[in-house]
Amino acid sequence: MTGNETSTAGTGPATGNLLLAAAPIGRPEDASARLRAALAGAEIIAAEDTRRLRRLAADLDVPIAAKVVAYHDHNERARAEELVGELLAGRDVLVITDAGLPGVSDPGYRLVRAAVAAGVPVTALPGPSAVTTALVVSGLPTDRFCFEGFPPRKPGERARALEALAAEPRTMVFFESPRRLDRTLADMAAAFGADRPAAVCRELTKTYEEVRRGPLGELADWADEHVRGEITIVVGGAPEPAGLSEPADLAAAVAAREEAGTPRKQAISEVAKANGLPKRTVYDAVVAARG
C-alpha cells in the first residue's frame, strides 16, 4: 500500500488508506505480484468470503497476518461504518471480493462513498474483471460499452428494464445466474429483437471456459439446456435507426397494422422493433395522435 496521506490538503491527522484489490476471476495464478504483496502486508482485510480469501492466500502461498473481517451484501452498511472508523484511526484497509474488482456488482461501493466523505484516500489495485474479459472475447464492438449488472429477478421488472435499454447504442454487458439464464435471454430477445447479436460467456478464464456467440433468439433456445457456472452476457447495441422517427409517422404505422387485424399492443411492439425504438416512444406517439 502507499504511505499515509492526510485527509485534507496538508492539515488534519493522518488516516489510513483504503485499497480495493481485484481478485482473480478464475485461476489463482492470474493474481498479480502486487496482490500477493498487498495481502501479505495488509493490516485489515475486509473479505466478501473469509474462507475463499484464505483459500486464495493458500493457493498463492501468502501468509495472512492481517485482521480479517467479513464484508458482504448482508452487512455492508454496518461494516462500512466500522471500517471507516479504522481508517480514520490511521489503519489501512484492503477490500477483496470473491472475484473481480470490489464495487462492480460486489460489495465496496458504500465503503468507498463513506471513505471519500470522510476524507480517506482511496485507491485500487487493478486486475481481472469479468466485464472487460467478456467484452473483448465476445466479438462485439468494444469502442463504447456499458455495464448493467444483474437484470431484475422478477419477470415483469426484468422485461421493463430490458425494454428501457432497447435503443441503447452501446454494447451492453450483464451478469446473470445460470438458473435464470434461459428466461433472461428470452426476455432480451423479446426486448431487443431475436436477431440482435450477443455472446454468453461461461466460466471465464477457468478450465471449462465457453463463449457461445449468436443471435439472442438462438442463444435463448440453447440456454433451455441446463447451463452451469459463472455467466456474463454481452449484447450488441441497437443499430442506427433506419426507419421512422416522427411521432405522426409512428402512429400511422401502428394504425395501419391495427387495420390489418393486429392488436394494438402487438402493433406498437412491432413498430418499435422495426425502427429501433423503445415501445414507450411508439406508445406515446399513438396516444398523442389519438389525443
Side-chain angles (χ1 to χ4, degrees), residues 111-134:
L111 178 56
V112 171
R113 286 291 301 269
V116 169
V120 171
V122 180
T123 187
L125 199 167
S129 167
V131 177
T132 50
T133 301

Side-chain angles (χ1 to χ4, degrees), residues 197-284:
V200 176
C201 306
R202 188 180 71 86
E203 294 289 270
L204 286 169
T205 77
K206 300 178 184 178
T207 302
Y208 298 104
E209 175 180 305
E210 178 183 16
V211 180
R212 182 68 63 116
R213 305 175 183 87
L216 279 169
E218 291 183 10
L219 291 174
D221 292 339
W222 161 75
D224 278 341
E225 304 172 12
H226 186 59
V227 178
R228 297 181 178 180
E230 299 286 338
I231 302 292
T232 306
I233 306 170
V234 187
V235 182
E240 288 291 329
L244 306 176
S245 59
E246 293 297 324
D249 295 334
L250 295 170
V254 172
R257 281 173 166 77
E258 286 188 83
E259 290 175 6
T262 303
R264 182 181 303 171
K265 185 175 181 181
Q266 181 181 340
I268 288 173
S269 178
E270 290 177 357
V271 171
K273 287 182 181 178
N275 294 280
L277 297 170
K279 283 192 290 190
R280 184 72 193 184
T281 299
V282 181
Y283 174 81
D284 289 344

